[in-house]
Amino acid sequence: MGRKNNTQVPDFILLGLTDSEEVQRVLFVLFLLIYLVTMLGNAGMILIIRLDLQLHTPMYFFLSHLSFLDLNYSTVILPKTLENLLTSTKYISYVSCFTQMYFFVFLGATECFLLSSMAYDRYVAICNPLHYPVVMSTRFCGSLVFASYSIGFADSFVNVLCMSRLHFCDSNVIHHFFCDTSPVLALSCTDTNDIEIMIFIVAGSTLMVSLITISVSYVSILSTILKITSTSGKRRAFSTCASHLLGVTIFYGTMIFTYLKPSSSYSLGKDQVASVFYTIVIPMLNPLIYSLRNKEVKNAFIRVMQKGEGSGHLKQAMLNF
């Protein structure tokens, strides 16, 4: 069918992950459980870091913001996905679609630079431990977080501004479970080459600058660790950044696979699997990675629980008195 009608569509249809009702019900239960674990894990991580004074360090300051981003990341995607898995009408309004896209890009870009900040923090801690308290001051850490959010805001603003110039006139069916850039671009009945180049440059710059920062930091960290003579010293140094390195590998692996390629090579099946991983699974995994592999977080959880029990006993004693 020729693209003649230039009327802007009022809404879109999110085709989702599958047409099978049975599979949809299974996915609904699975995604609901993942969402609940994600909310509980990330909110719990933020709470523990705020309540335990021993975790008031640059590393956990960044980690609390990572949990905040993951919590919001899931909330932007999953509620609408869960709703569409239960209903036959899978509509999303034009404004809601672009709002979802804006926050998705904003949170994703912010997380890239927050992970870079965390890598730099580990670099200073291992390679320049004597200067660590001076370099990673409260003001500097706050500036890094503010810069991460600012870059995320700028990236998402440019992305949505470019996308809002498109016209959608033939089909309003998005072959995805949320309003991502590539499947929405595929619906446009106007020339998208310039917009694709602009989005590719912005997304590519965000990913590559943050990835280069992380790579340089970890090359320096590895070089420093190899110079340590004792095996226990090497193990202790590596354990301080192992969780972050694992989280970075999973996050960037799926993001690069999905976004650092032309939209013409967009593959519905492969890209949807990758999208499920970094939009739904990774926000759930991050608090597990940083808590289960971290003795400080485990000990902080125990201290917070003991403090809660102690205050409960104190209140009960006062009531009895």
Side-chain angles (χ1 to χ4, degrees):
M1 185 182 291
R3 296 186 171 187
K4 297 179 181 179
N5 182 9
N6 202 36
T7 304
Q8 193 78 351
V9 297
D11 49 38
F12 296 103
I13 298 173
L14 291 168
L15 202 59
L17 293 164
T18 178
D19 294 329
S20 170
E21 291 186 5
E22 292 180 358
V23 177
Q24 285 181 8
R25 285 194 290 269
V26 173
L27 287 176
F28 174 82
V29 174
L30 178 62
F31 287 174
L32 180 60
L33 289 173
I34 290 175
Y35 186 52
L36 293 174
V37 172
T38 301
M39 293 296 103
L40 182 63
N42 285 291
M45 183 68 76
I46 294 170
L47 193 62
I48 289 171
I49 292 171
R50 288 186 64 88
L51 291 177
D52 192 84
L53 294 177
Q54 293 188 33
L55 297 186
H56 289 186
T57 63
M59 175 182 168
Y60 293 104
F61 172 70
F62 294 129
L63 186 54
S64 66
H65 280 277
L66 180 65
S67 293
F68 174 75
L69 290 175
D70 284 339
L71 197 150
N72 286 281
Y73 206 60
S74 284
T75 302
V76 166
I77 304 297
L78 266 172
K80 187 62 181 177
T81 302
L82 290 170
E83 178 189 335
N84 288 343
L85 286 170
L86 287 182
T87 59
S88 56
T89 57
K90 305 179 188 296
Y91 288 101
I92 182 170
S93 70
Y94 182 87
V95 173
S96 296
C97 183
F98 276 81
T99 300
Q100 186 184 59
M101 187 188 300
Y102 173 85
F103 282 105
F104 167 70
V105 176
F106 166 64
L107 294 167
T110 303
E111 185 158 334
C112 284
F113 283 94
L114 187 65
L115 290 171
S116 300
S117 301
M118 294 174 73
Y120 181 72
D121 171 72
R122 293 298 84 204
Y123 159 74
V124 178
I126 294 173
C127 300
N128 297 292
L130 296 178
H131 297 96
Y132 183 77
V134 177
V135 175
M136 301 305 295
S137 64
T138 302
R139 184 174 181 178
F140 182 65
C141 292
S143 298
L144 286 176
V145 169
F146 178 76
S148 299
Y149 282 101
S150 299
I151 293 169
F153 171 79
D155 279 7
S156 58
F157 181 78
V158 170
N159 185 85
V160 173
L161 185 65
C162 290
M163 295 291 289
S164 64
R165 294 167 54 194
L166 298 175
H167 291 280
F168 306 94
C169 44
D170 285 345
S171 173
N172 65 340
V173 179
I174 298 174
H175 294 272
H176 214 338
F177 63 93
F178 72 100
C179 291
D180 200 2
T181 304
S182 295
V184 173
L185 270 172
L187 295 182
S188 176
C189 54
T190 52
D191 183 33
T192 62
N193 286 334
D194 292 342
I195 292 174
E196 282 185 47
I197 291 170
M198 177 62 71
I199 292 174
F200 184 83
I201 290 172
V202 172
S205 299
T206 298
L207 280 172
M208 294 314 296
V209 169
S210 58
L211 190 57
I212 287 170
T213 304
I214 292 170
S215 300
V216 171
S217 297
Y218 273 104
V219 167
S220 300
I221 289 170
L222 182 60
S223 176
T224 302
I225 290 175
L226 290 175
K227 292 176 184 177
I228 299 174
T229 54
S230 68
T231 305
S232 60
K234 287 182 179 180
R235 189 182 297 112
R236 188 165 53 252
F238 183 75
S239 67
T240 63
C241 54
S243 298
H244 179 255
L245 188 58
L246 178 60
V248 163
T249 302
I250 297 171
F251 180 78
Y252 277 91
T254 52
M255 291 285 276
I256 290 171
F257 172 81
T258 306
Y259 291 108
L260 288 191
K261 61 183 181 181
S263 64
S264 57
S265 63
Y266 174 75
S267 169
L268 181 60
K270 292 180 180 178
D271 282 21
Q272 280 194 335
V273 170
S275 297
V276 166
F277 209 74
Y278 68 77
T279 59
I280 297 175
V281 177
I282 290 179
M284 176 193 69
L285 289 179
N286 274 339
L288 298 177
I289 290 171
Y290 287 101
S291 60
L292 295 178
R293 294 180 56 87
N294 194 313
K295 290 183 179 179
E296 288 183 344
V297 174
K298 293 177 183 177
N299 293 334
F301 177 75
I302 294 170
R303 286 193 297 270
V304 169
M305 293 301 294
Q306 289 175 342
K307 191 183 295 183
E309 290 177 2
S311 62
H313 291 153
L314 180 61
K315 287 179 181 178
Q316 186 63 41
M318 291 183 70
L319 287 172
N320 292 336
F321 180 77

